[in-house]
Amino acid sequence: MAAAELQGKYQKLAQEYSKLRAQNQVLKKGVVDEQANSASLKEQLKMKDQSLRKLQQEMDSLTFRNQQLAKRVELLQDELALSEARGKKNKKSVESSSQLSQEQKSVFNEDLQKKIEENERLHILFFEADEQHKRLEAELRSRLEVLETDAAQHQAVVDSLTKKYTETIEKLQNDKAKLELKLRDLAGQAMAFVQELVTALLNFHTYTEQKVQIFPVDSATDIISPLNQKFSQYLHENASYVRPLEEGMLHLFESITEDTVTVLETTVKLKAFSEHLASYLGFLRKILPYQLKSLEEECESSLCTAALRARNMELHRDMKRLTAVFEKLHTYVSLLALPSTRPEGLLRTNYNFVFTNIAASLHGFHDILKDISKHYSQKAALEQEVPTATQKLITTNDCILSSVAALTNGAGKMASFFSNNLDHFTTSLSYGPKGGAEFISPLSAECMLQYKKKAAAYMKSLKKPCADSVPYEEALANRRVLLSSTESREGLAQQVQQSLEKIAKLEQEKEHWMLEAQLAKIKLEKENQKLKNSLSGHLTETIQEHSVLPNIAEQKKETTEKGLREPIKSTSLIGMLTVTTDNEKAPDAESREDLIKTHYMARIAELTSHLQLADSKSVHFHAECRALAKRLSLAEKSKESLTEELKLASQNITRLQDELMTTKRSYEDQLSMMSDHLCSMNETLTKQREEIDTLKMTSKGNSKKSKNR
């Protein structure tokens, strides 16, 4: 019920979230439009300001020009008044000149009138433009204030909604994580129950095979029927059909992790479990006819009583029901596996119906197993009363009853587990989009999870502090050192390899000399044994000499003669030594041999050390040569790269020089054009000055004429 309420709350929150998200989109669009309008109005305001400043500049220039003209008019009026005052005296003499001054005055008056009218018109235009600009600026400012107020309100609404839905999303994600954790816990429990059922099924089929071999006919004493032989052969294959059920459930459990979206559409491993269940169902269908015929054959036996026959027929019906309930379970499990392969094969609205029927089938499976346990216990009790019942039969029946009891307990646990968590399975595994839309496909879900992991790893790598960068010169020097050290390392590796080979040879020689030493030790022990034996013989001879007194002189002579010819054995604390009569010369020869041997051994050791030193030096020189060759090749490569860079630099210099010449020519052309323009302006100014001088001369002449008048 809690899961159903959580699902309902989630759907309501999702609906509200979708509505507010739509409103948020509208508000965002309005804010964007108002911001665009505000930007356009600001641009218009800027253009109006520019036009106003331009008009202001024109107005200032016209005002300055008007002031100049007004001053000029005043001067001309003053000169005219003076000329009129003076002209009264010589009116007759200057009638023609007065007519000319009158015409000039009329021209000046017309020019002045035009300037005054133009100035008045410009003042009117400036005033109208100023008033329009002020009015437009006020309107735009008020509109901008309204838009900013609306934008602030909309942003506040957006922020509040974002905060609200962020909290809601976090809450829903936490609830989803809890649900997925509970679903994984439930999957672990289901896997344990399936493992228990698999063990019980293996035991049941195995002990049933043993029962067929010993009842009603014991295969150890007689030949069982061909039917039971075939039935026993099929039962012997039960592990190849039962074990995959446990493996499929284990793979399904391993596919449910915290990173996966666990719904029926993404539970791909459920298809494999359904296939394993179909394989076991085929096994049950294959052995069912033989099992029924075996029970019928047992009923036809002379050992079967009426009560035992009744129990066999009850088991006959129970086995049919057991196969039928496995067919139902396979049907509904295969339906649950459809969304992961063909989502259109099973609608999400029918999930509850399928889960309910699975729970009912599991309860039916439990009831059938209880009946089988009851009937088989009665059958076992009746078989014990048979006169030919053996201890082997009784033990096998007890094993079958224990396996059936384990099956019954496992089925009961599975049925109770599924019924208790039916609401959770219905709500969690049927999670998906509203309106019956398709959920994410398994391939897309897997890709999404892979990209999610990559994104998490990327964000984690971004949080790591960046390592300090190395300057280019230092990195280049380190690279050269690294290359040289690499070459030195290769040389050292070769030295180590050669040393290892020498060590191996020395080890072989050491083993050889150790064997030689062992052989010499064995020979020494044998010689010592011989010496001991000869010493004991010598002692016996001495005793005989003391016992036989006669012929002492003859024995002394013989002894002296033998002493001159044969070696004499002498003993000491360090062992026994045999010396000849010329033992004075033997030590000198042996000492010379020892000295020669010691000298040559020392010489060999010295030459060996010199040879090893020469080998190490040659390897070192070879490594240095390789390092120098490598450095030389690197220097040549760097030289080539620098040559290419130099060529590119020279090309760039040439190109820049060409551009500089082009720019210089363009500047010279512009300067010449500017000088021409200045010359033309100077000519224009000269002409204007000449006109002004002419006007002055004319005004002076007029003033002189007026004075003369």
Side-chain angles (χ1 to χ4, degrees):
M1 293 299 290
E5 291 178 359
L6 183 62
Q7 183 70 18
K9 289 181 181 178
Y10 180 78
Q11 291 179 356
K12 289 180 181 179
L13 289 172
Q15 291 175 359
E16 292 179 1
Y17 178 72
S18 60
K19 290 180 182 178
L20 292 173
R21 190 174 181 181
Q23 294 177 2
N24 188 16
Q25 294 294 331
V26 175
L27 292 174
K28 282 185 177 179
K29 187 177 180 181
V31 170
V32 171
D33 294 339
E34 293 298 332
Q35 288 177 353
N37 292 331
S38 177
S40 64
L41 291 174
K42 285 181 179 179
E43 189 67 25
Q44 292 179 5
L45 182 62
K46 185 178 180 181
M47 293 174 67
K48 293 293 183 181
D49 286 336
Q50 291 178 356
S51 62
L52 181 62
R53 284 194 295 271
K54 187 176 180 181
L55 291 173
Q56 185 69 34
Q57 290 176 358
E58 291 180 356
M59 186 66 189
D60 292 339
S61 63
L62 290 173
T63 303
F64 178 72
R65 183 64 176 169
N66 191 13
Q67 289 176 359
Q68 286 182 345
L69 291 173
K71 289 180 180 180
R72 186 177 180 185
V73 168
E74 289 178 359
L75 290 172
L76 292 173
Q77 285 179 352
D78 293 339
E79 290 178 357
L80 182 62
L82 290 172
S83 63
E84 286 180 353
R86 294 174 182 175
K88 290 180 180 180
K89 295 178 181 180
N90 48 4
K91 184 176 181 181
K92 292 180 180 181
S93 61
V94 290
E95 287 181 357
S96 60
S97 62
S98 63
Q99 292 177 358
L100 182 61
S101 63
Q102 189 67 27
E103 291 178 358
Q104 290 178 353
K105 183 179 179 181
S106 62
V107 171
F108 287 142
N109 288 331
E110 289 178 359
D111 190 11
L112 180 62
Q113 188 65 30
K114 288 180 181 180
K115 295 294 183 182
I116 291 170
E117 290 177 356
E118 185 179 1
N119 192 9
E120 185 178 1
R121 183 176 62 81
L122 290 174
H123 272 289
I124 293 169
L125 289 174
F126 175 74
F127 179 76
E128 291 178 353
D130 190 16
E131 291 295 327
Q132 185 178 2
H133 175 263
K134 289 180 180 179
R135 185 172 61 255
L136 182 61
E137 183 180 2
E139 291 177 358
L140 292 175
R141 289 186 183 278
S142 61
R143 189 175 178 184
L144 181 62
E145 290 176 358
V146 172
L147 291 175
E148 287 178 350
T149 305
D150 294 339
Q153 293 176 356
H154 293 326
Q155 189 64 35
V157 172
V158 169
D159 293 338
S160 62
L161 291 175
T162 304
K163 183 179 179 182
K164 178 181 176 182
Y165 292 118
T166 302
E167 294 175 354
T168 305
I169 289 169
E170 290 178 355
K171 182 180 178 182
L172 291 174
Q173 286 179 349
N174 293 329
D175 295 338
K176 178 177 175 291
K178 291 179 182 178
L179 288 173
E180 289 179 351
L181 185 62
K182 184 177 180 182
L183 186 55
R184 182 169 174 80
D185 186 21
L186 294 176
Q189 295 179 22
M191 186 184 69
F193 293 146
V194 169
Q195 288 176 345
E196 186 177 351
L197 286 175
V198 165
T199 304
L201 285 172
L202 288 171
N203 293 333
F204 176 69
H205 292 309
T206 303
Y207 294 135
T208 303
E209 179 189 358
Q210 293 181 7
K211 175 68 179 298
V212 170
Q213 294 286 339
I214 62 175
F215 190 80
V217 177
D218 193 354
S219 61
T221 59
D222 201 353
I223 299 174
I224 62 176
S225 64
L227 176 69
N228 284 335
Q229 290 179 1
K230 198 70 174 176
F231 184 35
S232 176
Q233 179 184 352
Y234 286 153
L235 286 173
H236 191 70
E237 302 171 355
N238 69 89
S240 61
Y241 297 97
V242 180
R243 288 292 183 190
L245 293 175
E246 182 180 0
E247 295 175 0
M249 194 64 195
L250 180 62
H251 292 161
L252 178 61
F253 172 72
E254 290 175 350
S255 66
I256 300 173
T257 61
E258 295 179 358
D259 296 331
T260 57
V261 182
T262 307
V263 289
L264 288 179
E265 286 82 357
T266 59
T267 313
V268 184
K269 299 297 182 181
L270 190 59
K271 178 67 176 175
F273 180 76
S274 174
E275 292 174 353
H276 296 322
L277 185 59
S279 176
Y280 179 66
L281 178 61
F283 171 72
L284 290 179
R285 288 172 178 170
K286 183 171 67 173
I287 66 171
L288 180 62
Y290 295 95
Q291 194 167 16
L292 300 180
K293 289 291 183 180
S294 178
L295 289 172
E296 293 173 0
E297 184 178 337
E298 185 178 342
C299 292
E300 294 173 357
S301 176
S302 60
L303 300 175
C304 186
T305 61
L308 186 58
R309 189 177 295 109
R311 300 291 82 77
N312 286 337
M313 295 311 296
E314 288 175 350
L315 286 173
H316 191 280
R317 291 189 295 271
D318 293 340
M319 293 303 169
K320 289 182 179 179
R321 292 168 59 200
L322 182 65
T323 306
V325 77
F326 267 104
E327 288 179 351
K328 286 184 179 180
L329 284 172
H330 169 255
T331 301
Y332 294 124
V333 171
S334 61
L335 284 174
L336 286 182
L338 278 177
S340 62
T341 55
R342 291 190 299 109
E344 69 278 2
L346 181 65
L347 297 178
R348 202 176 295 113
T349 54
N350 296 329
Y351 289 177
N352 190 15
F353 173 76
V354 177
F355 284 120
T356 305
N357 284 320
I358 288 177
S361 300
L362 288 173
H363 281 289
F365 179 48
H366 181 231
D367 295 336
I368 292 169
L369 288 175
K370 287 195 292 186
D371 293 339
I372 290 174
S373 178
K374 175 183 175 183
H375 297 153
Y376 214 99
S377 62
Q378 295 173 358
K379 174 180 169 62
L382 292 172
E383 287 177 351
Q384 288 181 5
E385 299 175 357
V386 175
T388 59
T390 61
Q391 186 62 36
K392 188 176 181 181
L393 176 62
I394 295 170
T395 305
T396 304
N397 283 334
D398 292 339
C399 292
I400 292 175
L401 285 174
S402 64
S403 62
V404 172
L407 267 175
T408 306
N409 293 331
K413 291 178 183 178
M414 180 67 79
S416 301
F417 163 76
F418 209 86
S419 298
N420 294 333
N421 297 285
L422 184 61
D423 295 334
H424 180 74
F425 286 143
T426 305
T427 54
S428 61
L429 293 178
S430 61
Y431 164 75
K434 297 184 294 182
E438 290 187 2
F439 198 76
I440 187 170
S441 63
L443 183 61
S444 301
E446 186 177 359
C447 294
M448 180 186 70
L449 293 174
Q450 291 179 357
Y451 287 128
K452 181 181 177 182
K453 291 179 181 178
K454 288 183 180 179
Y458 177 70
M459 295 302 295
K460 186 177 180 181
S461 65
L462 289 179
K463 292 180 181 179
K464 292 182 180 179
C466 296
D468 296 334
S469 61
V470 181
Y472 177 74
E473 293 80 5
E474 184 177 355
L476 188 61
N478 292 336
R479 181 173 180 271
R480 292 173 180 172
V481 172
L482 180 62
L483 291 173
S484 62
S485 63
T486 304
E487 296 295 332
S488 300
R489 185 173 61 185
E490 292 178 357
L492 291 174
Q494 291 179 359
Q495 291 182 7
V496 169
Q497 185 66 27
Q498 293 177 0
S499 300
L500 289 174
E501 292 176 357
K502 291 180 180 179
I503 290 170
K505 291 180 180 179
L506 292 173
E507 289 290 337
Q508 292 177 359
E509 292 180 359
K510 178 183 176 182
E511 292 177 358
H512 172 71
W513 288 115
M514 287 178 68
L515 291 173
E516 292 289 337
Q518 290 178 359
L519 292 173
K521 186 177 181 182
I522 293 169
K523 290 180 180 179
L524 180 62
E525 290 177 355
K526 289 181 180 180
E527 292 295 330
N528 289 332
Q529 189 67 29
K530 289 179 180 179
L531 289 173
K532 287 180 182 179
N533 294 331
S534 63
L535 181 61
S536 61
H538 183 69
L539 290 174
T540 53
E541 289 177 357
T542 306
I543 291 169
Q544 289 177 359
E545 287 177 358
H546 285 289
S547 60
V548 181
L549 294 175
N551 300 325
I552 293 175
E554 294 177 2
Q555 290 177 1
K556 285 183 178 180
K557 290 180 181 180
E558 291 176 358
T559 303
T560 53
E561 290 177 357
K562 289 181 180 179
L564 293 173
R565 296 189 304 268
E566 295 179 358
I568 300 171
K569 297 177 181 178
S570 63
T571 59
S572 65
L573 293 174
I574 60 171
M576 188 175 293
L577 180 65
T578 302
V579 296
T580 59
T581 55
D582 54 350
N583 52 4
E584 294 180 357
K585 297 181 180 179
D588 295 334
E590 290 179 358
S591 62
R592 283 197 301 272
E593 289 179 358
D594 292 336
L595 288 173
I596 292 168
K597 183 178 180 182
T598 305
H599 172 71
Y600 281 112
M601 291 297 292
R603 185 60 177 166
I604 289 169
E606 184 180 359
L607 292 174
T608 304
S609 63
H610 283 301
L611 181 61
Q612 291 178 353
L613 182 62
D615 289 339
S616 62
K617 286 183 178 180
S618 63
V619 171
H620 178 68
F621 290 150
H622 179 67
E624 286 186 353
C625 291
R626 290 187 63 184
L628 290 173
K630 192 72 175 179
R631 289 182 182 179
L632 182 60
S633 63
L634 290 174
E636 290 178 354
K637 289 181 181 178
S638 62
K639 180 181 177 182
E640 291 177 357
S641 62
L642 290 173
T643 304
E644 293 293 332
E645 291 178 359
L646 182 62
K647 289 181 181 179
L648 292 174
S650 61
Q651 292 176 0
N652 291 330
I653 290 170
T654 305
R655 181 173 56 81
L656 290 173
Q657 287 177 353
D658 295 338
E659 291 179 357
L660 181 62
M661 292 298 294
T662 306
T663 307
K664 185 177 180 181
R665 289 173 183 174
S666 62
Y667 283 158
E668 289 177 354
D669 295 337
Q670 290 179 2
L671 287 173
S672 62
M673 291 174 66
M674 290 175 68
S675 61
D676 295 338
H677 184 64
L678 287 173
C679 291
S680 62
M681 289 178 68
N682 288 327
E683 292 177 356
T684 305
L685 288 173
T686 304
K687 290 180 180 179
Q688 289 179 356
R689 286 176 182 174
E690 290 177 354
E691 290 179 357
I692 291 169
D693 293 337
T694 305
L695 289 173
K696 286 182 179 180
M697 292 296 291
T698 306
S699 62
K700 286 181 180 179
N702 292 329
S703 62
K704 287 179 180 180
K705 288 180 181 180
S706 61
K707 286 179 182 180
N708 292 326
R709 287 178 183 177

